[in-house]
Amino acid sequence: MTDEIRAVQLRPNSSCENQCAFCSAASEHDKPDMTLDEIQRNLDFFVEHRGCSEVVLSGGEVTCRSDFAELMAMLDAKPLSLVTVISSGLRCTEQT
């Protein structure tokens, strides 16, 4: 395989409920979110054609997505060795 890529960072959404002054994504909060199909196509390309085994999700706040559980299930179905979610953690509770 040529041009193998071990890890890829996906920014599936730019929306965020926080107003962090230091956030580098703050200027992009109005960009449209990627659909699950768009995310799937990106994952397929990097995993199947570039040998990617690690995915980093960032944004905005990726846990704000209404389809966050489906997104994580999509990632779980891939042969990945590591999935990292960059999050403020404010939406995480013992139930989620």
Side-chain angles (χ1 to χ4, degrees):
M1 180 179 306
T2 61
D3 298 325
E4 189 168 309
I5 297 173
R6 186 183 89 212
V8 64
Q9 180 177 359
L10 293 178
R11 296 177 71 178
N13 61 293
S14 59
S15 57
C16 182
E17 297 171 339
N18 304 315
Q19 299 295 321
C20 303
F22 57 83
C23 180
S24 63
S27 63
E28 300 178 359
H29 287 322
D30 59 345
K31 288 189 176 180
D33 293 351
M34 292 174 71
T35 66
L36 285 178
D37 286 340
E38 290 170 326
I39 296 167
Q40 183 72 58
R41 284 194 301 274
N42 277 277
L43 286 172
D44 289 347
F45 174 78
F46 285 107
V47 171
E48 296 169 15
H49 300 290
R50 296 297 179 110
C52 179
S53 62
E54 300 175 13
V55 173
V56 177
L57 292 177
S58 66
E61 177 59 54
V62 71
T63 62
C64 287
R65 292 181 64 99
S66 61
D67 58 1
F68 181 68
E70 292 89 347
L71 174 57
M72 295 308 292
M74 181 189 304
L75 289 163
D76 190 46
K78 294 289 182 191
L80 299 168
S81 61
L82 181 66
V83 174
T84 303
V85 177
I86 298 175
S87 170
S88 67
L90 294 176
R91 295 178 56 93
C92 299
T93 65
E94 289 183 25
Q95 290 79 30
T96 57

